[in-house]
Structures are given as C-alpha cells and as structure tokens.
Amino acid sequence: MILDLHNHSVASDDARAKVENYCQWIQRRELPLDGFVLSEHRQFDSVSDYRDLEDQFGLVILKASEVETEYGHVLVFGVNDDLQASFDFSSVKLSLETVLSEAERCGAIAVPCHPGRPRVGMSAHFEQLGPVDGVTVIETLNGGSRGRENDIAIELAEQRGYKGIGGSDAHIVSHIGRCATKIEREIRSIEDLVGALKEGDCEAVSYQ
Amino acid sequence: MAVDRYEDVEFGEELPEFTPDISMPKVVQFTQAAQMNFGRFTDHDEARKSGLPGAIVPGIMSQGILAALIHRWAPTAQIQKIDTVFRAPLVVDSAPTCRGVVTDMDDESRIVEIDLTLCNEAGETRVLGTALVRL
C-alpha cells in the first residue's frame, strides 16, 4: 500500500485544506495513494470520523499528530488516551526523549519529521544537544523540503540505520501526494500502521 | 481563454501559470507606491547583511501577484478572501512561477476555492495560500 503519512487539514493553524477536498483531489488526479494520514500541529483530533469519506473514495484516512520538541518536530502515530494524558501535545517545548519513551510505552511510535530542516529538524540540534537514543524511523522524504533538506535526512538515516518514511506535509489540497510511504502489508487502522513502522515495513517514495 | 462564468470552471482546473516581474526596478516601483522603502526589499547588499539571501519581495506584493493570477484567468471574478502563508523569502531578481488550481466548488454560492503558490526556479514553494473567488 502507498500512504501519504504527513498532511495537515484546516484543523492546523497554518493549513487550509479540507479533508474531503484531499479525497476529491486524489481521485480526480488519479494519484497512486491508498490513503493518507492527518497529522495536525500540536494536537490530536480524537473527534472527527472520516469513515464516510473512506467509503466514498475508497481511501484509508488515519489520524496522527505533529508535536514540537527541543530537537524539532516529531510525528506521533498511534495516539491514544494514555499517550494524550502523558504529555501536553500543545507545548512547543516537549522533550524528545519523553515523546519517544511515552510513545513506546503507550504502543505508539514517534518519528522525527523533516530532520534535515534548519531549526525545526532533528539534525540541526545534534551539535548543541548531542545525539538521541530511541529513534528508529525518521521522515526521509518531506514534500515541503527545500534545498538539501531531504538529502540530509537520507544521509542521516543511512549513517544511523534509521528506516525512512515519506510524507507530503501538505497544507493545501494540491500538495497531497508529493511524497508517500510504500508499505508491503495491508493497512486498515492506525494500529496496523504502527506495527508496520515498528517492524521497519516502510519505504519512502517521491512523486515530485 | 478567460473564464467569466462559474459553469465554465471544473474542480482541478489549473489557472494559466505565469512568471511575474520581480526585478529590482519593479520592486522599487512597488515599495515607493506602498511607502515601504526598506533596504531589505530594495538593496541586495543591505538585505544580505541582515542575514537574508538577498533583497526580498514584500509579502503584500506577493499577495498582489497571486491576486493578479486569478484576474488573468477570470477578469470579472470577485476575490472574497485571499490567505497567504510565507514559507520562505522570495528573492528580488529571481524568476518564480505563479500557479493556481481549483480545489473546491460550491454550486450554491458560486464560490470556488483556489490553491495558490509562488515557487522559485528550483520548484520550491516560497509562498502558498488559498483564495475564495465568486464567479
């Protein structure tokens, strides 16, 4: 399956896309996506139910979160009540170590995103803060990356043995499907996705 | 061909892209008219001294360029709202591409939503946004 693992909807403060329009766009443009993940900034949307859209468009629509740590931004897949109670998703000063360990404890997985990006990417903070233990997967292809940001992420994954995922980081409708993740197994739920990522069943792909 | 009726528009339709003139003389002309005579817009050396990659196009000029894209496509369209996010600086004297695509349509209000982008020569999005346009 091919899933775009990093997108934002109007629920994020800097995004303008409605979820239904993402679906329409994928269908109209015949994008090779089987589904996508909504990873809203500094929050988890536990309310919205996209089952009707999934049925209407034949897509898998999953929900995650993008939180902010001292090492930059981190995608969290598999958010549940326990994890939501363990730290403040709205904070912009979370500890990456805490996010990684609490995600692991709660059956989720934390994935540093756009790690090659200045200021909000993990590698920019290694010199000052040192390396991080506990990372197994990073976002190696981000659709919003500029310059060498994705190259830096790929090099980082190669050097440290991380698996890589891809996501468009779409904030407007027409940006979905720029990057995605190929997963060998069938993904029908966020638990399926977390299992695949934990076992390294993921490969970043670019359509840019 | 210019569009002037809602019925002529389709979801996913691309507006004709263009390369706006953001040469230094044009930006100087804009900043003078807008009374925004700051070195970061009109002097590459001064802008670089403050850490910028060169003189940058004022945000409201970028927004005007995006609005112009809409009116080149549909001269009689009424722009109800235009909303921009400035991802990275757009450098004066570069040759960006301005694009738009229809991403939502409301038959009742006859308003279309358009994704808007200004990308640099490397294809990197510098400015993005959306507009609500009544036809």
Side-chain angles (χ1 to χ4, degrees), chain A:
Chain A
M1 294 185 79
I2 296 176
L3 301 176
D4 186 339
L5 297 187
H6 185 173
N7 298 286
H8 301 272
S9 78
V10 287
S12 287
D13 50 6
D14 61 346
R16 306 291 180 258
K18 295 187 275 288
V19 178
E20 182 175 3
N21 294 144
Y22 274 142
C23 298
Q24 290 174 320
W25 183 261
I26 291 166
Q27 185 179 66
R28 176 60 63 99
R29 291 293 167 121
E30 299 180 345
L31 300 184
L33 295 179
D34 296 300
F36 58 92
V37 178
L38 297 162
S39 48
E40 310 298 359
H41 289 294
R42 302 177 302 281
Q43 60 181 300
F44 179 71
D45 174 10
S46 54
V47 177
S48 300
D49 184 342
Y50 297 117
R51 278 178 292 189
D52 287 347
L53 286 177
E54 288 184 310
D55 293 343
Q56 183 182 346
F57 291 93
L59 292 165
V60 176
I61 305 173
L62 304 175
K63 295 184 289 187
S65 180
E66 181 176 355
V67 299
E68 299 185 16
T69 76
E70 83 278 39
Y71 279 90
H73 295 187
V74 179
L75 298 172
V76 184
F77 300 98
V79 178
N80 52 31
D81 289 347
D82 281 349
L83 188 56
Q84 283 186 274
S86 66
F87 58 80
D88 178 7
F89 277 51
S90 68
S91 170
V92 295
K93 294 178 179 175
L94 292 169
S95 150
L96 176 58
E97 186 182 355
T98 300
V99 172
L100 287 163
S101 61
E102 287 301 300
E104 176 69 20
R105 184 182 67 79
C106 297
I109 185 168
V111 177
C113 51
H114 41 69
R117 189 165 299 169
R119 203 170 53 80
V120 296
M122 184 171 69
S123 65
H125 301 279
F126 281 162
E127 194 172 322
Q128 189 183 353
L129 302 174
V132 186
D133 291 329
V135 174
T136 57
V137 183
I138 63 172
E139 185 184 56
T140 49
L141 290 178
N142 177 289
S145 284
R146 296 182 286 271
R148 291 196 69 252
E149 290 173 7
N150 282 341
D151 295 333
I152 293 169
I154 291 167
E155 289 163 13
L156 182 66
E158 287 171 354
Q159 287 164 8
R160 299 180 185 238
Y162 301 148
K163 297 295 289 188
I165 64 166
S168 294
D169 203 357
H171 288 69
I172 56 176
V173 171
S174 55
H175 280 177
I176 199 166
R178 296 184 296 182
C179 295
T181 303
K182 187 177 176 187
I183 297 168
E184 291 300 324
R185 72 191 65 181
E186 185 86 355
I187 303 294
R188 289 290 159 213
S189 67
I190 196 70
E191 290 79 14
D192 292 343
L193 177 61
V194 171
L197 297 180
K198 282 177 179 278
E199 292 173 31
D201 178 5
C202 52
E203 179 191 349
V205 289
S206 174
Y207 298 104
Q208 288 182 305

